[in-house]
């Protein structure tokens, strides 16, 4: 043992192979997988792949596709909000009948119902397709087997199905964009009666049907993935990888999967009841309602019931989005600062605490929609408690960087940016969590600013940190650092420029989801601010194009990965070969002897998890 | 599994059949007794016999999970990892039911208010509009 | 915090090295774990439905009385509250027991035994579905309950049902009108047009026997029967004990019918897909597929978990729809 520990000072690469050979754990994988049937041809390698790394790349690229679509949608409605007097006729070739061009003046106006459709689709796409599937789908798939030391997911087949159900969900949603009545336009929360009555608005007809179908497929995808992630973390950890040696990324993905497993089914039950209301005339969510002066036959239901079912998913969903980002950021910050993560156990317990609390606070989204004020009191208290584990995490990230030997790579910058965003957005969350203040803030731009910063931009920052950091593991090349830094600074400054002014709009009472404000005396003096926000949004989107170009360009021309462990990280994914084969390790699976954060221990820069403990050396994780 | 030998396990199964059957019969008996079907004209208050039926059902659920689904013979951690998350539903049940009762209560308030006679407050010559000065003060 | 899943895993860290990696900490294969966690998520789907049921039920003042709604059984049995559904429950419990036996035989690698007990389970599941089909057919066809109409309700005041003569004596006019090709008889308030609220009928049970003269108290339950000739619901006319006014009965809360068909239907769908899977697995067992795997027929065991879960859900469906 002592000799092995000494060897770590010698050149690293050779050593790790030796360590794996000497201490590794032989699962006789390659004896069973001669002539690999999984990667025998193009289709099984690149399309219906059962390899977790390929599925991760599929999730990521599909996520990027949807992020571009969702981002473009936001630009269109930002143009409408910032420049309501300008002509949008140039968008006619793309949006067709949704732009009405005045024959005399040549002024092109966006159809108001399409504005709502854009807002709705932007929310749905970014929340579900980009920040759930694109973030947790990508990195859970990539990192869980690699970091726990597994050959693949517990069930590679279900994992493949998970991606393809996601693809199907996306295809259906994409199709709904081209319906003559337009996609669903009642907000991403799909509150009845707009979602329950096909005649309620143009998007409530076929658009809503496809929306429900698409999200049902999506839930199937999430559940297939989630069950896989949980069982993989539980059952397939390599020798020595006990729960306290798991990197924080894995803890985050693990709890995320648990949240998804428990919350998405409740959304499905709400969906099924909604489908009944839409098709069979039942009244689960509808009570005495008039459409066009005509009394409908519905009686006895409650739209608030759907809101409860929706937010029972909806709030855990917020953490399904942010927890993976938190895990990625913890790992990236620790590697970049060359310091062990501060308060590893506190981090784990705060992830668990956030996971638990997310299930008992859902009605804080509904203070103003008619929830009984008595029950609201409890929701306020539970909500404010979430600030405690969140603050623990923030302090731990800051103390991890403090005194560190920080390497400001693009990934590290985005990780730091995440912490900044999370603090800014988290603080406004404390305002909104109070039902008394929420009376003023509810459904204003304050809310828009809050959740965009804390779960939109912050989660994106976590995702970018992950992409820059693990890109070499995914594609065998590095992304361009200069472009990465341009991307970071543009996005950081731009995102604050977009969302910081929105707080002031919100405090002045400017309501969200309005088509235009210039005809309100109260709000018309904000037009300059709205223009500023729109310009900032366009610039931020341009920065994202830098990222997209960088991403796809680097696949072919990026700097090649020449060593196994370019960052000097401790986790297991950096012990795999540069070209990671199916099954991840060519021979034995490495055995784990220590936690993932031995940086700067005993005068060594880093000690990989596979290095056995020296005599008398304690494992810091325990 | 494998914790009991085959003969005992077989016996446990048929014992389970009898237990579940008897508990179901007991539930139905309690329901009929409480609703006055066994002794005509004799009713039990809901708050007394409903909890009995809920308790019996929970026992049945416990028995199915622990015996038929072999949870008793699994590692404790597995049992807890499956059973404890269901406790999250406790708060959901409290909140949803409280909400349901609140909707019913508010509908009743609206119904009663609608039945109240409308008071005549308009004076002669009053158009029902607010005085113009009221706007000016804002 | 103790309620969070992942935390509890650590209680096991002390007792043994199950959590040290390269082992199955729960001593269960990944397939079995996945089945458990799938069932957990499915339980949350059902919980979503049942909790919605509770919320809607708490929001209405009256709710149909189950031992009145579910009192018919096949072969003309009419006044047997809850008896048929008790039989259905037994069928499901027995099929659960045969499933346990199939799992046990599987553990002994006894191909014939496992196949035999699986077959019995399939028969049990199919019988349950048959019973449910009869029950639905009876509720829809005979009683007239649908997802939008709930003819079952209970009285909010005491009174007595009136006969045709009494209605005419009270000043209502007897009208005979053509409805769907047959003649319907009803009573109309003088000067009122034929709108549903103004129709009065002589109360009859669904065999057509007149119930005129029957007295009832507050909370007494009733069924608005559908006249199969006219396809109209007959709202029985009664005289209120309190103020002597003549009124008609009202439909019960709509949510009852919708929730009943939806939740029992969703459960029935689980039973149906269970029967399908059981059939596939029974064929696989009989063909000797699992003999080769040498894992004690784990597929049968996983299927067993699913099947018991269906039984488990029924415990709660039975509780909330038929008992409470």
């Amino acid at each position: 043992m002592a000799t092995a520990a000494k060897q770590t000072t010698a050149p690293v690469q050779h050593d790790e192979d030796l360590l794996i050979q000497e201490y590794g754990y032989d699962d006789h994988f390659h004896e069973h997988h001669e002539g690999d049937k999984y990667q025998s041809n193009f289709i099984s390698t690149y399309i219906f792949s059962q390899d977790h790394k390929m599925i991760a790349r599929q999730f990521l690229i599909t996520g990027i596709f949807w992020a571009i679509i969702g981002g473009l949608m936001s630009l269109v409605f930002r143009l409408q909000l910032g420049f309501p007097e300008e002509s949008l006729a140039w968008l006619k070739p793309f949006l067709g009948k949704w732009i009405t061009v005045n024959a005399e003046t040549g002024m092109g106006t966006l159809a108001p119902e399409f504005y709502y459709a854009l807002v709705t689709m932007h929310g749905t796409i970014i929340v579900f397709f980009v920040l759930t599937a694109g973030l947790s789908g990508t990195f859970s798939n990539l990192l869980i087997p690699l970091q726990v030391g597994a050959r693949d997911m517990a069930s590679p087949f279900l994992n493949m199905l998970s991606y393809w159900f996601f693809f199907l969900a996306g295809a259906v949603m994409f199709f709904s964009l081209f319906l003559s009545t337009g996609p669903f336009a009642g907000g991403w929360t799909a509150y009845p009666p707009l979602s329950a009555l096909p005649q309620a608005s143009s998007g409530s007809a076929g658009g809503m049907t496809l929306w429900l179908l698409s999200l049902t497929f999506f839930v199937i995808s999430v559940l297939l993935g989630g069950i896989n992630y949980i069982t993989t973390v539980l059952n397939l950890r390599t020798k020595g990888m006990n729960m306290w040696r798991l990197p924080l990324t894995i803890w985050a993905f693990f709890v995320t999967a648990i949240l998804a497993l428990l919350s998405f089914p409740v959304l499905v039950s709400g969906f099924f009841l909604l489908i009944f209301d839409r098709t069979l005339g039942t009244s689960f969510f509808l009570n005495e309602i008039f459409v066009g002066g005509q009394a409908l036959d519905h009686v006895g239901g409650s739209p608030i019931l759907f809101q409860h079912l929706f937010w029972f998913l909806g709030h855990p969903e917020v953490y399904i989005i942010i927890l993976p980002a938190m895990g990625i950021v913890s790992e990236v910050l620790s590697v970049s600062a060359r310091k062990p993560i501060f308060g590893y156990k506190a981090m784990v317990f705060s992830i668990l605490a956030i996971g638990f609390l997310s299930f008992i606070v859902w009605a804080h989204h509904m203070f103003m929609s008619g929830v009984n004020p008595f029950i609201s009191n409890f929701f306020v208290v539970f909500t404010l408690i979430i600030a405690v584990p969140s603050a623990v995490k923030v302090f731990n990230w800051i103390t991890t960087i403090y005194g560190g030997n920080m390497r400001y790579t693009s990934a590290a910058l985005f990780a730091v940016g995440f912490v900044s965003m999370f603090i800014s957005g988290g603080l406004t969350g404390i305002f909104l969590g109070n039902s008394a203040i929420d009376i003023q803030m509810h459904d204003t731009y304050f809310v828009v600013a809050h959740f965009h910063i804390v779960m939109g931009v912050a989660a994106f920052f976590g995702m970018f940190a992950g992409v820059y950091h693990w890109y070499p593991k995914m594609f065998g090349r590095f992304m361009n650092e200069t472009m990465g830094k341009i991307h970071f600074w543009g996005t950081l400054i731009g995102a604050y420029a977009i969302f910081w002014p929105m707080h002031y709009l919100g405090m002045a009472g400017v309501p969200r989801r309005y088509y235009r404000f210039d005809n309100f005396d109260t709000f018309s003096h904000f037009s300059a601010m709205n223009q500023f926000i729109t310009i900032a949004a366009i610039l931020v989107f341009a920065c994202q194009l830098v990222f997209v170009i960088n991403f796809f360009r680097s696949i072919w021309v990026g700097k090649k990965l020449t060593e196994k462990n370019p960052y000097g990280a401790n986790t297991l994914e950096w012990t795999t070969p540069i070209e990671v084969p199916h099954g991840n390790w060519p021979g034995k699976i490495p055995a784990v002897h220590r936690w993932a954060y031995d940086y700067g221990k005993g005068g060594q820069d880093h000690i990989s998890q596979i290095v056995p403990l020296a005599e008398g050396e304690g494992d810091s994780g325990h | 599994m494998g914790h009991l030998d085959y003969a005992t396990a077989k016996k446990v199964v048929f014992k389970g059949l009898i237990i579940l059957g008897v508990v179901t019969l007991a539930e139905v008996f309690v329901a009929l007794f409480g609703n006055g079907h066994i002794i005509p004209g004799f009713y039990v208050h809901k708050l007394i016999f409903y909890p009995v039926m809920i308790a019996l059902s929970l026992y049945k659920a416990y028995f199915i999970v622990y015996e038929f689904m072999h949870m008793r013979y699994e590692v404790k951690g597995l049992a807890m990892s499956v059973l404890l998350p269901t406790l999250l539903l406790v708060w959901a049940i409290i909140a949803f039911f409280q909400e349901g009762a609140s909707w019913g209560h508010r509908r009743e308030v609206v119904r009663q208010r609608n039945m109240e006679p409308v008071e005549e407050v308009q004076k002669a010559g009053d158009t029902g509009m607010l005085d113009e000065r009221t706007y000016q003060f804002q | 915090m103790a309620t969070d899943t992942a935390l509890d895993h650590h209680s096991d860290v002390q007792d043994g090295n199950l959590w040290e990696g390269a082992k199955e900490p729960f001593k269960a294969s990944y397939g079995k774990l996945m089945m458990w966690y799938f069932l957990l998520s499915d339980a949350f789907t059902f919980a979503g439905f049942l909790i919605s049921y509770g919320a809607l039920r708490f929001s209405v003042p009256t709710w149909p009385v189950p031992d009145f709604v579910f009192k018919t059984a096949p072969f003309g049995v009419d006044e047997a509250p809850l008896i048929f559904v008790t039989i259905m429950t037994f069928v499901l419990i027995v099929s659960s027991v045969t499933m346990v036996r199939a799992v046990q035989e599987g553990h002994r690698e006894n191909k014939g035994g496992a196949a035999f007990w699986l077959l019995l389970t399939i028969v049990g599941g199919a019988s349950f579905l048959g019973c449910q089909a009869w029950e639905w057919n009876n509720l829809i066809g005979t009683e007239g309950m649908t997802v939008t109409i709930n003819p079952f309700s209970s009285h909010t005041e005491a009174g007595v049902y009136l006969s045709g003569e009494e209605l005419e004596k009270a000043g209502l006019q007897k009208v005979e009108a053509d409805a769907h090709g047959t003649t319907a008889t009803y009573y109309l308030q003088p000067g009122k047009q034929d709108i549903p609220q103004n129709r009065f009928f002589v109360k009859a049970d669904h065999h057509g026997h007149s119930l005129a003269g029957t007295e009832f108290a507050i909370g007494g339950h009733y069924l608005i029967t559908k006249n199969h000739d006219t396809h109209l619901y007959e709202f029985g006319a009664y005289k209120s004990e309190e103020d002597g006014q003549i009124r008609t009965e009202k439909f019960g809360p709509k949510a009852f019918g919708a929730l009943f068909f939806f939740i029992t239907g969703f459960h029935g769908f689980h039973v149906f897909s269970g029967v399908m899977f059981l059939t596939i697995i029974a064929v696989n067992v009989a063909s000797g597929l699992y003999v080769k795997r040498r894992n004690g027929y784990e597929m049968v065991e996983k299927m067993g978990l699913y099947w018991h879960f269906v039984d488990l859900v029924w415990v709660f469906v039975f509780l909330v729809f038929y008992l409470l």
Side-chain angles (χ1 to χ4, degrees), chain A residues 1-15:
Chain A
M1 280 242 178
T3 50
K6 245 180 235 163
Q7 281 172 0
T8 53
T9 48
V12 179
Q13 201 172 327
H14 177 65
D15 252 8

Side-chain angles (χ1 to χ4, degrees), chain A residues 412-608:
Chain A
L413 286 173
F414 271 108
V416 175
F418 169 91
V419 178
S420 160
M421 284 291 168
F422 188 70
I423 295 172
S424 313
L427 286 176
T428 51
I430 299 175
F431 289 70
L432 293 169
N434 287 288
S435 56
I437 302 175
D438 192 57
I439 292 171
Q440 161 75 6
M441 303 297 194
H442 181 85
D443 255 2
T444 65
Y445 271 86
F446 193 88
V447 179
V448 176
H450 159 69
F451 73 74
H452 272 95
I453 289 184
V454 80
M455 74 177 240
V457 182
F460 263 109
F461 272 41
M463 192 169 164
F464 289 137
V467 172
Y468 283 108
H469 190 78
W470 280 287
Y471 193 89
K473 202 76 263 177
M474 279 192 253
F475 296 102
R477 289 170 188 270
F478 287 92
M479 284 174 78
N480 184 306
E481 274 294 308
T482 320
M483 284 169 94
K485 275 167 190 159
I486 295 170
H487 175 213
F488 169 73
W489 287 109
T491 313
L492 182 84
I493 297 166
Y496 272 122
I498 297 172
F499 296 112
W500 202 263
M502 282 194 190
H503 291 101
Y504 301 111
L505 293 179
M507 280 189 274
V510 180
R512 63 193 280 209
R513 294 189 175 128
Y514 274 35
Y515 171 64
R516 59 193 295 172
F517 293 104
D518 51 345
N519 42 1
F520 292 90
D521 284 346
T522 334
F523 306 132
S524 51
H525 61 278
F526 288 122
S527 58
M529 204 181 250
N530 265 325
Q531 285 171 13
F532 174 76
I533 293 172
T534 300
I535 293 165
I538 293 169
L539 292 177
V540 168
F541 189 79
C543 288
Q544 308 320 301
L545 290 182
V546 174
F547 167 76
V548 173
I549 293 165
N550 190 0
F551 182 92
F552 287 104
R553 190 179 155 269
S554 302
I555 295 179
W556 290 281
V557 301
K559 192 180 80 176
K560 270 203 163 173
L561 181 65
T562 48
E563 47 179 338
K564 272 176 157 189
N565 192 354
Y567 305 121
N570 292 340
T571 40
L572 291 183
E573 76 270 30
W574 304 110
T575 65
T576 56
I578 292 170
E579 290 265 335
V580 193
H582 180 65
N584 296 344
W585 286 272
K588 293 175 173 179
I589 304 179
V592 164
H593 300 275
R594 55 180 74 233
W595 74 329
Y597 298 100
D598 270 340
Y599 294 103
K601 189 182 190 184
Q604 294 181 69
D605 176 62
H606 68 281
I607 310 172
S608 172

